[in-house]
Coordinates of all heavy atoms in Angstrom, one line a residue:
G209 N 109.1 -23.7 -61.6 CA 109.7 -24.5 -60.6 C 108.9 -24.5 -59.3 O 108.8 -25.5 -58.6
E210 N 108.3 -23.4 -58.9 CA 107.5 -23.3 -57.7 C 106.2 -24.1 -57.9 O 105.8 -24.8 -57.0 CB 107.1 -21.8 -57.5 CG 106.3 -21.6 -56.2 CD 106.0 -20.1 -56.0 OE1 105.1 -19.6 -56.6 OE2 106.7 -19.5 -55.2
R211 N 105.6 -24.1 -59.1 CA 104.4 -24.8 -59.4 C 104.7 -26.3 -59.2 O 103.9 -27.1 -58.6 CB 103.9 -24.5 -60.8 CG 102.6 -25.3 -61.1 CD 102.0 -24.9 -62.5 NE 102.9 -25.4 -63.6 CZ 103.6 -24.6 -64.4 NH1 103.5 -23.3 -64.2 NH2 104.3 -25.1 -65.3
R212 N 105.8 -26.8 -59.8 CA 106.2 -28.2 -59.7 C 106.4 -28.6 -58.3 O 106.1 -29.7 -57.8 CB 107.4 -28.5 -60.6 CG 107.1 -28.6 -62.0 CD 108.3 -29.2 -62.8 NE 109.4 -28.3 -62.8 CZ 109.6 -27.4 -63.7 NH1 108.8 -27.2 -64.7 NH2 110.7 -26.6 -63.7
R213 N 107.1 -27.7 -57.5 CA 107.4 -28.0 -56.1 C 106.1 -28.2 -55.3 O 105.9 -29.1 -54.5 CB 108.2 -26.9 -55.5 CG 108.7 -27.3 -54.1 CD 109.7 -26.2 -53.5 NE 109.0 -25.0 -53.2 CZ 109.1 -23.9 -53.8 NH1 109.8 -23.8 -55.0 NH2 108.5 -22.8 -53.4
F214 N 105.1 -27.2 -55.5 CA 103.8 -27.3 -54.7 C 103.1 -28.6 -55.1 O 102.5 -29.3 -54.3 CB 103.0 -26.1 -55.0 CG 103.4 -24.9 -54.3 CD1 103.3 -23.6 -54.9 CD2 104.0 -24.9 -53.0 CE1 103.7 -22.5 -54.2 CE2 104.4 -23.8 -52.4 CZ 104.3 -22.5 -53.0
S215 N 103.1 -28.9 -56.5 CA 102.4 -30.1 -57.0 C 103.0 -31.3 -56.4 O 102.3 -32.3 -55.9 CB 102.4 -30.1 -58.5 OG 101.9 -31.3 -59.0
Q216 N 104.4 -31.4 -56.4 CA 105.0 -32.6 -55.9 C 104.8 -32.8 -54.4 O 104.6 -33.9 -54.0 CB 106.5 -32.6 -56.2 CG 107.2 -33.9 -56.1 CD 106.6 -35.0 -57.0 OE1 106.3 -34.8 -58.1 NE2 106.3 -36.1 -56.4
Q217 N 104.8 -31.7 -53.7 CA 104.5 -31.8 -52.3 C 103.1 -32.3 -52.0 O 102.8 -33.2 -51.2 CB 104.7 -30.4 -51.6 CG 104.4 -30.4 -50.1 CD 104.6 -29.1 -49.5 OE1 105.1 -28.1 -50.1 NE2 104.1 -28.9 -48.2
A218 N 102.1 -31.8 -52.8 CA 100.7 -32.3 -52.6 C 100.6 -33.7 -53.0 O 99.9 -34.5 -52.3 CB 99.8 -31.4 -53.5
R219 N 101.3 -34.2 -54.1 CA 101.2 -35.6 -54.5 C 101.8 -36.5 -53.4 O 101.3 -37.6 -53.1 CB 101.9 -35.8 -55.8 CG 101.2 -35.1 -57.0 CD 102.0 -35.2 -58.3 NE 101.3 -34.5 -59.4 CZ 100.5 -35.0 -60.3 NH1 100.3 -36.3 -60.2 NH2 99.9 -34.3 -61.2
T220 N 103.0 -36.0 -52.9 CA 103.6 -36.8 -51.8 C 102.7 -36.9 -50.6 O 102.6 -38.0 -50.0 CB 105.0 -36.1 -51.5 OG1 105.8 -36.1 -52.6 CG2 105.7 -36.9 -50.4
E221 N 102.2 -35.8 -50.1 CA 101.3 -35.8 -49.0 C 100.1 -36.7 -49.2 O 99.7 -37.5 -48.3 CB 100.9 -34.4 -48.6 CG 102.0 -33.5 -48.0 CD 101.6 -32.1 -47.8 OE1 100.4 -31.8 -48.0 OE2 102.4 -31.3 -47.3
L222 N 99.5 -36.6 -50.4 CA 98.3 -37.4 -50.8 C 98.7 -38.9 -50.8 O 98.0 -39.7 -50.2 CB 97.8 -37.0 -52.1 CG 96.7 -37.9 -52.7 CD1 95.4 -37.8 -51.9 CD2 96.3 -37.4 -54.2
G223 N 99.9 -39.2 -51.3 CA 100.3 -40.6 -51.4 C 100.5 -41.1 -50.0 O 100.2 -42.3 -49.7
M224 N 101.2 -40.3 -49.1 CA 101.4 -40.8 -47.7 C 100.1 -41.0 -47.0 O 99.9 -42.0 -46.3 CB 102.3 -39.8 -47.0 CG 103.7 -39.7 -47.5 SD 104.7 -38.4 -46.7 CE 104.7 -39.0 -45.0
Y225 N 99.1 -40.1 -47.2 CA 97.8 -40.2 -46.6 C 97.1 -41.5 -47.0 O 96.6 -42.3 -46.2 CB 97.0 -39.0 -46.8 CG 95.6 -39.2 -46.4 CD1 95.2 -38.9 -45.0 CD2 94.5 -39.5 -47.2 CE1 93.9 -39.1 -44.6 CE2 93.2 -39.7 -46.8 CZ 92.9 -39.5 -45.5 OH 91.6 -39.6 -45.0
L226 N 97.1 -41.7 -48.4 CA 96.4 -42.9 -48.9 C 97.1 -44.2 -48.5 O 96.4 -45.2 -48.2 CB 96.4 -42.8 -50.4 CG 95.4 -41.8 -51.0 CD1 95.6 -41.7 -52.5 CD2 94.0 -42.2 -50.7
A227 N 98.4 -44.1 -48.4 CA 99.2 -45.3 -47.9 C 98.7 -45.7 -46.5 O 98.5 -46.9 -46.2 CB 100.7 -45.1 -48.0
G228 N 98.6 -44.7 -45.6 CA 98.1 -45.0 -44.3 C 96.7 -45.5 -44.2 O 96.4 -46.4 -43.5
L229 N 95.9 -44.9 -45.1 CA 94.5 -45.3 -45.2 C 94.4 -46.8 -45.7 O 93.5 -47.6 -45.2 CB 93.7 -44.4 -46.0 CG 92.1 -44.4 -45.9 CD1 91.8 -44.0 -44.4 CD2 91.5 -43.4 -46.8
I230 N 95.2 -47.1 -46.7 CA 95.2 -48.5 -47.2 C 95.6 -49.5 -46.1 O 95.0 -50.5 -46.0 CB 96.2 -48.5 -48.4 CG1 95.6 -47.8 -49.6 CG2 96.6 -50.0 -48.7 CD1 96.6 -47.6 -50.7
D231 N 96.6 -49.1 -45.3 CA 96.9 -50.0 -44.2 C 95.7 -50.2 -43.2 O 95.5 -51.3 -42.7 CB 98.1 -49.5 -43.4 CG 99.4 -49.6 -44.2 OD1 99.5 -50.4 -45.1 OD2 100.4 -48.9 -43.9
E232 N 95.0 -49.1 -42.9 CA 93.8 -49.2 -42.1 C 92.8 -50.1 -42.7 O 92.2 -51.0 -42.0 CB 93.3 -47.9 -41.8 CG 94.1 -46.9 -40.9 CD 93.5 -45.6 -40.7 OE1 92.2 -45.5 -41.0 OE2 94.2 -44.6 -40.4
R233 N 92.5 -49.9 -44.0 CA 91.5 -50.7 -44.6 C 91.9 -52.2 -44.8 O 91.0 -53.1 -44.8 CB 91.2 -50.2 -46.0 CG 90.6 -48.8 -46.1 CD 89.2 -48.8 -45.5 NE 88.6 -47.5 -45.7 CZ 88.6 -46.4 -44.9 NH1 89.3 -46.5 -43.8 NH2 88.0 -45.3 -45.2
R234 N 93.2 -52.5 -44.8 CA 93.6 -53.9 -44.9 C 93.2 -54.6 -43.6 O 92.8 -55.8 -43.7 CB 95.1 -53.9 -45.2 CG 95.6 -55.4 -45.4 CD 97.0 -55.4 -45.9 NE 97.2 -54.9 -47.2 CZ 97.8 -53.8 -47.6 NH1 98.2 -53.0 -46.7 NH2 97.8 -53.4 -48.9
S235 N 93.4 -53.9 -42.5 CA 93.1 -54.6 -41.2 C 91.6 -54.5 -40.8 O 91.1 -55.3 -40.1 CB 94.0 -54.0 -40.1 OG 93.8 -52.6 -40.0
A236 N 91.0 -53.4 -41.3 CA 89.6 -53.2 -40.9 C 88.8 -52.6 -42.1 O 88.5 -51.5 -42.2 CB 89.5 -52.2 -39.7
P237 N 88.5 -53.5 -43.1 CA 87.8 -53.0 -44.3 C 86.4 -52.6 -44.1 O 85.7 -53.1 -43.2 CB 87.9 -54.3 -45.2 CG 88.0 -55.4 -44.3 CD 88.8 -54.9 -43.1
G238 N 86.0 -51.6 -44.9 CA 84.6 -51.1 -44.9 C 83.9 -51.5 -46.2 O 84.4 -52.5 -46.9
D239 N 82.8 -50.8 -46.5 CA 82.1 -51.2 -47.8 C 82.5 -50.2 -48.9 O 81.8 -50.0 -49.9 CB 80.6 -51.2 -47.5 CG 80.1 -49.8 -47.1 OD1 80.9 -48.9 -46.9 OD2 78.9 -49.7 -46.9
D240 N 83.6 -49.5 -48.7 CA 84.0 -48.5 -49.7 C 84.9 -49.1 -50.8 O 85.4 -50.3 -50.6 CB 84.8 -47.3 -49.0 CG 85.9 -47.8 -48.2 OD1 87.0 -48.0 -48.7 OD2 85.7 -48.1 -47.0
M241 N 85.2 -48.4 -51.8 CA 86.0 -48.9 -52.9 C 87.4 -49.1 -52.6 O 88.0 -50.1 -53.1 CB 85.8 -48.0 -54.1 CG 86.4 -48.6 -55.4 SD 85.8 -47.7 -56.9 CE 86.9 -48.5 -58.1
L242 N 88.0 -48.3 -51.8 CA 89.4 -48.5 -51.4 C 89.6 -49.8 -50.6 O 90.5 -50.5 -50.9 CB 89.9 -47.3 -50.5 CG 91.4 -47.2 -50.3 CD1 92.2 -47.1 -51.6 CD2 91.7 -46.0 -49.4
S243 N 88.6 -50.1 -49.7 CA 88.7 -51.4 -49.0 C 88.7 -52.5 -50.0 O 89.4 -53.5 -49.8 CB 87.6 -51.5 -48.0 OG 87.7 -50.5 -47.0
A244 N 87.8 -52.4 -51.0 CA 87.7 -53.5 -52.0 C 88.9 -53.7 -52.8 O 89.4 -54.8 -53.0 CB 86.5 -53.2 -52.9
L245 N 89.6 -52.6 -53.2 CA 90.8 -52.7 -53.9 C 91.9 -53.3 -53.1 O 92.8 -54.0 -53.7 CB 91.3 -51.3 -54.4 CG 90.4 -50.5 -55.4 CD1 90.9 -49.1 -55.7 CD2 90.3 -51.3 -56.7
V246 N 91.9 -53.1 -51.8 CA 93.0 -53.6 -50.9 C 92.8 -55.1 -50.6 O 93.7 -55.9 -50.6 CB 93.0 -52.8 -49.6 CG1 93.9 -53.5 -48.6 CG2 93.5 -51.4 -49.9
T247 N 91.5 -55.5 -50.5 CA 91.3 -56.9 -49.9 C 90.8 -57.8 -51.0 O 90.8 -59.0 -50.7 CB 90.2 -56.8 -48.8 OG1 89.0 -56.2 -49.4 CG2 90.7 -55.9 -47.7
D248 N 90.4 -57.4 -52.2 CA 89.8 -58.3 -53.2 C 90.8 -59.2 -53.7 O 91.9 -58.8 -54.1 CB 89.1 -57.5 -54.3 CG 88.3 -58.4 -55.3 OD1 87.7 -59.3 -54.8 OD2 88.4 -58.1 -56.5
H249 N 90.4 -60.5 -53.8 CA 91.3 -61.5 -54.4 C 90.5 -62.0 -55.7 O 89.6 -62.8 -55.6 CB 91.5 -62.7 -53.5 CG 92.4 -62.4 -52.3 ND1 93.7 -62.5 -52.3 CD2 92.0 -61.9 -51.1 CE1 94.2 -62.1 -51.2 NE2 93.2 -61.8 -50.4
S250 N 90.9 -61.4 -56.8 CA 90.2 -61.7 -58.1 C 91.0 -62.8 -58.8 O 92.1 -63.2 -58.4 CB 90.2 -60.4 -58.9 OG 91.4 -60.2 -59.5
P251 N 90.4 -63.3 -59.9 CA 91.1 -64.3 -60.7 C 92.5 -63.7 -61.2 O 93.4 -64.5 -61.6 CB 90.2 -64.5 -61.9 CG 88.8 -64.3 -61.3 CD 89.0 -63.1 -60.4
D252 N 92.6 -62.4 -61.3 CA 93.9 -61.8 -61.7 C 94.8 -61.6 -60.5 O 95.9 -61.0 -60.7 CB 93.6 -60.4 -62.3 CG 92.8 -60.5 -63.6 OD1 93.4 -61.0 -64.6 OD2 91.7 -60.1 -63.7
G253 N 94.4 -62.0 -59.3 CA 95.3 -61.8 -58.2 C 94.9 -60.6 -57.4 O 93.7 -60.2 -57.4
Q254 N 95.8 -60.0 -56.7 CA 95.5 -58.9 -55.8 C 96.5 -57.8 -56.2 O 97.6 -58.0 -56.5 CB 95.7 -59.3 -54.4 CG 95.2 -58.3 -53.4 CD 95.3 -58.8 -51.9 OE1 96.0 -59.8 -51.6 NE2 94.5 -58.2 -51.0
M255 N 95.9 -56.6 -56.2 CA 96.8 -55.4 -56.5 C 97.9 -55.3 -55.4 O 97.7 -55.5 -54.2 CB 95.9 -54.1 -56.4 CG 95.1 -53.9 -57.7 SD 94.4 -52.2 -57.6 CE 93.4 -52.2 -59.1
T256 N 99.0 -54.8 -55.9 CA 100.1 -54.5 -54.9 C 99.8 -53.1 -54.3 O 98.9 -52.4 -54.8 CB 101.5 -54.3 -55.7 OG1 101.4 -53.2 -56.5 CG2 101.8 -55.6 -56.5
P257 N 100.4 -52.8 -53.1 CA 100.1 -51.5 -52.5 C 100.3 -50.4 -53.4 O 99.6 -49.4 -53.4 CB 101.1 -51.5 -51.3 CG 101.2 -53.0 -50.9 CD 101.2 -53.7 -52.3
M258 N 101.4 -50.4 -54.3 CA 101.7 -49.3 -55.2 C 100.6 -49.2 -56.3 O 100.3 -48.1 -56.7 CB 103.1 -49.5 -55.8 CG 104.2 -49.4 -54.8 SD 104.3 -47.7 -54.1 CE 105.0 -46.8 -55.4
E259 N 100.1 -50.4 -56.7 CA 99.1 -50.4 -57.7 C 97.8 -49.8 -57.2 O 97.0 -49.0 -57.8 CB 98.8 -51.8 -58.3 CG 99.9 -52.2 -59.2 CD 99.8 -53.7 -59.6 OE1 99.1 -54.4 -58.9 OE2 100.4 -54.1 -60.6
V260 N 97.5 -50.1 -55.9 CA 96.3 -49.5 -55.2 C 96.5 -48.0 -55.2 O 95.6 -47.2 -55.5 CB 96.1 -50.1 -53.8 CG1 94.9 -49.3 -53.1 CG2 95.8 -51.6 -53.9
L261 N 97.7 -47.5 -54.8 CA 97.9 -46.1 -54.7 C 97.8 -45.4 -56.0 O 97.1 -44.3 -56.2 CB 99.4 -45.8 -54.2 CG 99.6 -45.8 -52.7 CD1 101.1 -45.6 -52.4 CD2 98.8 -44.6 -52.1
S262 N 98.3 -46.0 -57.1 CA 98.2 -45.4 -58.4 C 96.8 -45.4 -58.9 O 96.4 -44.4 -59.5 CB 99.1 -46.3 -59.4 OG 99.0 -45.8 -60.7
T263 N 96.0 -46.4 -58.6 CA 94.6 -46.4 -59.0 C 93.8 -45.4 -58.3 O 93.0 -44.7 -58.9 CB 94.0 -47.9 -58.8 OG1 94.8 -48.8 -59.6 CG2 92.6 -47.9 -59.3
A264 N 94.0 -45.3 -57.0 CA 93.3 -44.3 -56.2 C 93.6 -42.9 -56.7 O 92.7 -42.0 -56.8 CB 93.7 -44.4 -54.7
A265 N 94.9 -42.6 -57.0 CA 95.3 -41.3 -57.5 C 94.6 -41.0 -58.9 O 94.2 -39.9 -59.2 CB 96.8 -41.2 -57.6
L266 N 94.5 -42.1 -59.7 CA 93.8 -41.9 -61.0 C 92.4 -41.6 -60.8 O 91.8 -40.7 -61.5 CB 94.0 -43.2 -61.8 CG 93.1 -43.3 -63.1 CD1 93.6 -42.3 -64.1 CD2 93.2 -44.7 -63.7
L267 N 91.7 -42.3 -59.9 CA 90.3 -42.0 -59.6 C 90.1 -40.5 -59.2 O 89.2 -39.8 -59.6 CB 89.7 -42.9 -58.6 CG 89.6 -44.4 -59.0 CD1 89.2 -45.3 -57.8 CD2 88.6 -44.6 -60.1
L268 N 91.0 -40.0 -58.4 CA 90.9 -38.6 -57.9 C 91.1 -37.7 -59.0 O 90.3 -36.8 -59.2 CB 92.0 -38.4 -56.8 CG 92.1 -36.9 -56.4 CD1 90.9 -36.4 -55.7 CD2 93.3 -36.7 -55.4
I269 N 92.2 -37.8 -59.7 CA 92.6 -36.8 -60.7 C 91.7 -36.8 -61.9 O 91.1 -35.8 -62.4 CB 94.1 -36.9 -61.0 CG1 95.0 -36.6 -59.8 CG2 94.5 -35.9 -62.1 CD1 96.4 -37.0 -59.9
A270 N 91.7 -38.0 -62.5 CA 90.9 -38.2 -63.8 C 89.4 -38.0 -63.5 O 88.7 -37.3 -64.3 CB 91.1 -39.5 -64.4
G271 N 88.9 -38.6 -62.4 CA 87.5 -38.5 -62.1 C 87.0 -37.1 -61.7 O 85.9 -36.6 -62.0
H272 N 88.0 -36.3 -61.1 CA 87.6 -35.0 -60.6 C 87.7 -34.0 -61.8 O 86.7 -33.3 -62.0 CB 88.6 -34.6 -59.5 CG 88.5 -33.2 -59.0 ND1 89.5 -32.4 -58.6 CD2 87.4 -32.5 -58.7 CE1 89.0 -31.3 -58.2 NE2 87.7 -31.3 -58.2
E273 N 88.8 -33.9 -62.5 CA 89.0 -32.8 -63.4 C 88.0 -32.9 -64.6 O 87.5 -31.8 -65.0 CB 90.4 -33.0 -64.0 CG 91.5 -32.5 -63.0 CD 91.3 -31.0 -62.7 OE1 91.3 -30.1 -63.6 OE2 91.1 -30.7 -61.5
T274 N 87.7 -34.1 -65.1 CA 86.8 -34.1 -66.2 C 85.4 -33.7 -65.8 O 84.7 -33.0 -66.6 CB 86.8 -35.5 -66.8 OG1 86.6 -36.5 -65.8 CG2 88.1 -35.9 -67.4
T275 N 85.0 -34.1 -64.6 CA 83.6 -33.8 -64.2 C 83.4 -32.3 -63.9 O 82.4 -31.7 -64.2 CB 83.2 -34.6 -63.0 OG1 83.5 -36.0 -63.3 CG2 81.7 -34.5 -62.7
V276 N 84.5 -31.7 -63.4 CA 84.4 -30.2 -63.2 C 84.1 -29.5 -64.5 O 83.2 -28.7 -64.6 CB 85.8 -29.7 -62.7 CG1 85.8 -28.1 -62.7 CG2 86.0 -30.2 -61.3
N277 N 84.8 -29.9 -65.6 CA 84.6 -29.3 -66.9 C 83.3 -29.6 -67.5 O 82.6 -28.8 -68.1 CB 85.7 -29.6 -67.8 CG 87.0 -28.9 -67.4 OD1 87.0 -27.9 -66.7 ND2 88.1 -29.5 -67.9
L278 N 82.8 -30.9 -67.3 CA 81.6 -31.3 -67.9 C 80.4 -30.5 -67.3 O 79.5 -30.0 -68.1 CB 81.3 -32.8 -67.7 CG 80.0 -33.4 -68.1 CD1 79.8 -33.1 -69.6 CD2 79.9 -34.9 -67.8
I279 N 80.4 -30.3 -66.0 CA 79.3 -29.5 -65.4 C 79.4 -28.1 -65.7 O 78.4 -27.4 -66.1 CB 79.4 -29.7 -63.8 CG1 79.0 -31.2 -63.5 CG2 78.4 -28.8 -63.1 CD1 79.3 -31.6 -62.0
T280 N 80.6 -27.5 -65.7 CA 80.8 -26.1 -66.0 C 80.4 -25.8 -67.5 O 79.7 -24.8 -67.8 CB 82.2 -25.6 -65.6 OG1 82.5 -26.0 -64.3 CG2 82.3 -24.1 -65.7
N281 N 81.0 -26.6 -68.4 CA 80.7 -26.4 -69.8 C 79.2 -26.6 -70.0 O 78.6 -25.9 -70.8 CB 81.4 -27.4 -70.6 CG 82.9 -27.1 -70.7 OD1 83.3 -26.0 -70.5 ND2 83.7 -28.1 -71.1
G282 N 78.6 -27.5 -69.3 CA 77.1 -27.7 -69.4 C 76.3 -26.6 -69.0 O 75.4 -26.2 -69.7

Side-chain angles (χ1 to χ4, degrees):
E210 184 179 78
R211 182 178 67 247
R212 282 192 294 270
R213 188 174 73 253
F214 286 147
S215 172
Q216 195 56 48
Q217 180 180 348
R219 290 171 186 268
T220 300
E221 291 176 0
L222 173 63
M224 292 175 63
Y225 172 81
L226 287 173
L229 199 59
I230 286 168
D231 286 341
E232 291 179 17
R233 294 293 190 271
R234 185 173 288 110
S235 58
D239 61 357
D240 55 86
M241 190 165 171
L242 190 60
S243 295
L245 294 175
V246 170
T247 61
D248 186 38
H249 293 270
S250 74
D252 292 295
Q254 190 172 19
M255 282 191 186
T256 68
M258 292 297 282
E259 287 172 341
V260 175
L261 273 176
S262 180
T263 301
L266 172 66
L267 292 173
L268 169 65
I269 297 168
H272 179 219
E273 284 301 299
T274 52
T275 310
V276 170
N277 287 340
L278 177 56
I279 293 171
T280 308
N281 289 338

